[in-house]
Amino acid sequence: MSAAPRIDVLGLFPEWIRQFTEIGVVGRAMRRRLLHCEAWQLRDFADDVHRTVDDRTYGGGPGMVMLIEPLRRALTAIRAADPRPAHTIYLSPQGRVLDQAKVRELASRPRLVLLCGRYEGVDERLLDAEVDEEISIGDYVLSGGEPAACVLIDAVGRLVEGALNDPASAAQDSFEDGLLDCPHFTRPEQHELGTVPAVLTSGDHKAIARWRRQQSLGRTWQRRPDLLEKIALSRADQALLDQFRLDLQQTEPDAD
Ligand code: 58G
């Protein structure tokens, strides 16, 4: 049995990460020793009594930039805490946007180190020398990298072997096949807000699988056509989607 994957997080608010990693699927994976997360306080690696980790930006203008040296000392200490190679990631809006394929790739690595910036970010030379990859969780700006690190830990953590009670649920996820998820229903079958689609209560498992696949295809076409362009549909999928569009025309003759 191989050792549990490990994620170290470096920044100014390690409490964010510690609290987060106690909760939910990630918290349970940690307690079961399937995943190890450790949060590090960057100020512990400052070299003055004020525990300074930032300074003014060259070229002028507002805002502060995180200093090279505290970060470098911290990364050296973090890497020394475990002999396995540490894939080092900086969370920033300048990174490549995270998707499920990247999450899967990261989940296959034994060790990740996540660097969380504050202020205007990190001195570019530190990034060039010490960071393997810059990742963004979406096209918006956060005051710090910590919430982005939590998003990444959650997405990766739930893929760790044994983290989910039902391993089939990860395979069924939205995006595992590049499509959005189908709609889900639970009791009661009849409700003021509507009735559960009859196929789901029919007991016909083939028909149910076909309906779900068709809903995934149809909803992806309606809501995220950009995702459909990235995948090649089989003949069967194409037929299901064509039928979805036809059914839509019959119920909404105005739609085009
Ligand atoms: C511009 C703004 C440059 C990740 C902020 C650098 C981190 C968004 C994301 C920063 C983040 C994201 C300082 C605060 C990085 C630094 C951090 N904002 N979209 N903010 O993944």
Side-chain angles (χ1 to χ4, degrees), residues 21-255:
T21 55
E22 285 177 12
I23 298 166
V25 169
V26 169
R28 196 180 56 203
M30 292 269 285
R31 288 188 295 277
R32 289 181 180 172
R33 304 265 182 268
L34 302 170
L35 173 68
H36 182 73
C37 295
E38 191 108 13
W40 302 69
Q41 170 57 268
L42 178 61
R43 287 197 195 282
D44 293 344
F45 299 88
D47 62 0
D48 64 334
V49 288
H50 306 291
R51 313 227 291 164
T52 307
V53 294
D54 62 328
D55 204 340
R56 287 175 316 213
T57 177
Y58 273 119
M64 304 291 273
V65 176
M66 292 169 79
L67 291 162
I68 292 175
E69 278 306 317
L71 283 164
R72 221 155 62 125
R73 282 192 287 271
L75 288 171
T76 300
I78 291 169
R79 289 180 184 135
D82 185 307
R84 295 174 293 176
H87 186 69
T88 306
I89 297 167
Y90 178 51
L91 285 319
S92 105
Q94 283 74 51
R96 225 197 72 181
V97 177
L98 187 66
D99 61 15
Q100 193 64 25
K102 175 59 75 176
V103 169
R104 267 186 304 245
E105 182 205 311
L106 296 178
S108 77
R109 294 183 180 272
R111 255 201 104 176
L112 301 175
V113 174
L114 309 182
L115 173 53
C116 300
R118 284 269 152 181
Y119 319 115
E120 306 310 304
V122 172
D123 190 302
E124 193 69 20
R125 292 167 294 180
L126 184 282
L127 299 180
D128 290 344
E130 304 277 3
V131 167
D132 297 309
E133 171 167 46
E134 207 164 324
I135 291 179
S136 166
I137 61 158
D139 292 336
Y140 39 83
V141 178
L142 303 168
S143 60
E146 285 81 2
C150 290
V151 165
L152 196 151
I153 292 168
D154 188 277
V156 168
R158 63 188 288 287
L159 295 188
V160 167
E161 191 76 28
L164 297 178
N165 283 327
D166 182 0
S169 76
Q172 268 192 24
D173 279 340
S174 182
F175 294 118
E176 283 306 321
D177 54 8
L179 297 174
L180 301 184
D181 208 358
C182 65
H184 299 284
F185 301 87
T186 187
R187 293 194 298 171
E189 192 179 329
Q190 318 254 9
H191 186 277
E192 199 188 318
L193 297 184
T195 302
V196 174
V199 62
L200 296 179
T201 53
S202 69
D204 182 344
H205 299 295
K206 281 191 108 171
I208 292 168
R210 226 180 304 118
W211 181 86
R212 285 180 169 157
R213 185 75 188 170
Q214 184 172 51
Q215 291 293 312
S216 283
L217 290 159
R219 276 153 52 119
T220 308
W221 170 69
Q222 287 176 313
R223 300 177 187 195
R224 292 292 306 277
D226 59 304
L227 294 180
L228 270 191
E229 279 161 29
K230 291 189 208 165
I231 56 173
L233 294 186
S234 67
R235 298 284 250 7
D237 278 346
Q238 191 59 58
L240 284 173
L241 181 55
D242 290 345
Q243 191 59 50
F244 182 95
R245 288 170 165 138
L246 275 170
D247 293 349
L248 208 71
Q249 271 178 14
Q250 307 223 306
T251 47
E252 296 170 53
D254 289 343

